[in-house]
Amino acid sequence: MKKVLTSGAVIVFFALVFCVGPSASADPADAGRVVVFSTETQALDKWEDPAGCQRLPAAAHVLVNETDEVVNTYVDPFCATPSISVQPGYGTHVTPGTGSFSVGE
């Protein structure tokens, strides 16, 4: 009888795990974050809930959009040139130098 109860409890547990399971969306703690990779010897640059025009690091190489809005990347530091849009959950290469980005604009 004890074995049947244990087996039943395990089945219920796994059913709950698979039904409730992790959400398909990003972790709420990650919502609103833009991450930039520059080089293998540097830590990632992170902006939590960035607003307005943000200048990219001089050695920026890859930008990852972990927000729920479109991120626009620019080749100038003032967000004035035509931009490339990066959808939520995607990334893009950025040109090292004087680039910038803005969120949801």
Side-chain angles (χ1 to χ4, degrees), residues 5-16:
L5 289 175
T6 303
S7 297
V10 168
I11 290 170
V12 169
F13 172 76
F14 282 112
L16 286 173

Side-chain angles (χ1 to χ4, degrees), residues 33-95:
R33 182 166 63 179
V34 173
V35 180
V36 172
F37 166 79
S38 292
T39 69
E40 290 80 357
T41 60
Q42 293 177 267
L44 296 172
D45 290 288
K46 300 173 187 169
W47 289 263
E48 299 291 338
D49 298 319
C53 184
Q54 301 291 321
R55 187 171 187 167
L56 291 168
H61 185 72
V62 175
L63 178 142
V64 177
N65 180 1
E66 293 183 344
T67 72
D68 57 359
E69 298 185 58
V70 173
V71 170
N72 296 305
T73 61
Y74 307 87
V75 295
D76 70 284
F78 309 109
C79 300
T81 58
S83 64
I84 294 174
S85 297
V86 182
Q87 297 299 317
Y90 287 81
T92 187
H93 283 92
V94 291
T95 305

Side-chain angles (χ1 to χ4, degrees), residues 12-28:
V12 169
F13 172 76
F14 282 112
L16 286 173
V17 168
F18 286 113
C19 290
V20 175
S23 170
S25 63
D27 182 341

